[in-house]
Amino acid sequence: MYYSLQMTGGGVSLAKRLTWPDNYFILSQGLVFRQYDVHNYTAFVFSDGTSNDLSYNGTLSRNSLDSPIYPLSGSEISMNLQITPPYSLFNSKDYAGLSDQDRYKWLEYYKINLRGSWMFNLVGDLVLNTRFRFGLMGHYNDQIGLSPFGRYYLGGDGLSNFSLDARDVIALRGYNTYALSPDQGAAVFDKFTLELRQPLTNTSAATIYLLGFLEAGNSWASLKEFQPFRMYTSAGLGVRLYMQMFGLIGVDWGYGFDDKESGGSHFHFSINQSID
């Protein structure tokens, strides 16, 4: 049987550096439109029809890292809001009785994403990096439920970050790709990382550093199921190489402790910040 999933769209955004509360803040705002054309996609929540996604996207971030490649101090924090109009609140449709094609003709949702990263220079060039990420996707109308597009998928190396269903892929080393989320994606996730870094060389020509990490995270199908401290954990070692010609590439070995099927020993490859 023939099946397909196509996405088209575009957007416009404007970013501005703020001077208050300090010069490290940036505010970015934009509008994004996507159209999803689905045909016989039976492995997906929405199997047939066309969905339109018009959303406002705003991000407030602060970056005080002292180096983009191997920072010794500083922090990077961001708060992102993605929101669509609540169409169902302005009409009298009985969405419970509609087909999927009519229910998801215009997507409605809100997404809140938070992330933070702090660098602590312990001794010499030895750095402790602590990071966290949190994401929540919600809906306005229980008769419509969660949007079938743009959900969260946790696990693996994060290299599969591009997808025609606009999913958010979050890396968690020591486990298979997507293994720590429901089959049709999650509405909420959290993730925490401790990473110890030591450079072998740090010059303008090349930067190479070793790292050891502890990582924990999980995802849930709904906010009602959210248990922030019930997490899958892993640990491992890795190496990063930065050259201007190739950017930042890395190899990690991670061991997942909490799932016999998807955990255990895994090697992960990363490009730029696919593992964050």
Side-chain angles (χ1 to χ4, degrees):
M1 178 183 293
Y2 170 78
Y3 64 92
S4 66
L5 170 59
Q6 295 180 327
M7 180 179 72
T8 57
V12 59
S13 63
L14 178 66
K16 179 182 180 181
R17 182 174 294 277
L18 305 180
T19 58
W20 186 89
D22 58 39
N23 295 329
Y24 296 120
F25 280 87
I26 295 177
L27 177 62
S28 174
Q29 301 182 84
L31 290 175
V32 178
F33 176 77
R34 298 187 183 97
Q35 185 177 79
Y36 307 92
D37 189 7
V38 184
H39 179 68
N40 288 334
Y41 211 79
T42 56
F44 196 53
V45 181
F46 177 55
S47 60
D48 224 327
T50 300
S51 285
N52 301 288
D53 180 359
L54 175 65
S55 64
Y56 163 82
N57 198 321
T59 302
L60 178 64
S61 61
R62 183 182 188 274
N63 188 335
S64 62
L65 298 177
D66 62 353
S67 170
I69 306 303
Y70 190 84
L72 297 175
S73 63
S75 63
E76 185 176 13
I77 305 170
S78 71
M79 299 175 289
N80 171 262
L81 173 65
Q82 188 175 348
I83 187 170
T84 68
Y87 305 105
S88 64
L89 300 183
F90 305 135
N91 58 51
S92 57
K93 291 184 179 179
D94 179 14
Y95 281 87
L98 296 180
S99 66
D100 286 347
Q101 184 170 355
D102 292 327
R103 185 181 296 115
Y104 300 123
K105 184 174 183 179
W106 283 94
L107 300 178
E108 53 177 60
Y109 62 86
Y110 59 88
K111 292 180 72 173
I112 301 169
N113 293 295
L114 307 175
R115 67 169 68 196
S117 176
W118 292 265
M119 300 292 178
F120 302 95
N121 192 187
L122 300 181
V123 59
D125 290 333
L126 183 66
V127 173
L128 175 65
N129 177 214
T130 63
R131 305 195 298 270
F132 86 93
R133 290 188 64 180
F134 171 82
L136 169 66
M137 185 179 198
H139 59 274
Y140 310 114
N141 191 328
D142 290 338
Q143 291 184 344
I144 300 176
L146 196 67
S147 167
F149 302 96
R151 298 185 181 185
Y152 299 108
Y153 290 81
L154 178 68
D157 51 28
L159 281 176
S160 303
N161 199 34
F162 174 78
S163 175
L164 291 178
D165 62 1
R167 65 183 58 183
D168 278 336
V169 180
I170 300 94
L172 202 155
R173 291 163 285 189
Y175 296 93
N176 291 330
T177 301
Y178 305 161
L180 306 182
S181 292
D183 291 340
Q184 295 178 341
V188 59
F189 82 93
D190 63 1
K191 175 190 170 184
F192 303 89
T193 302
L194 286 175
E195 201 169 86
L196 198 62
R197 302 176 175 182
Q198 176 61 48
L200 299 179
T201 179
N202 188 11
T203 66
S204 58
T207 298
I208 304 174
Y209 62 90
L210 303 176
L211 61 88
F213 67 87
L214 297 173
E215 209 152 57
N218 203 350
S219 67
W220 297 265
S222 68
L223 184 59
K224 293 180 180 179
E225 302 174 17
F226 180 45
Q227 300 181 56
F229 301 110
R230 184 178 179 181
M231 293 179 287
Y232 296 92
T233 59
S234 65
L237 304 170
V239 61
R240 295 290 183 273
L241 166 65
Y242 174 81
M243 299 181 67
Q244 292 185 358
M245 186 181 305
F246 303 107
L248 184 66
I249 57 176
V251 180
D252 294 82
W253 171 82
Y255 190 90
F257 298 107
D258 300 308
D259 191 306
K260 294 181 179 180
E261 293 184 5
S262 67
S265 178
H266 291 272
F267 282 94
H268 303 286
F269 297 91
S270 61
I271 300 175
N272 293 323
Q273 300 299 324
S274 62
I275 292 178
D276 64 351

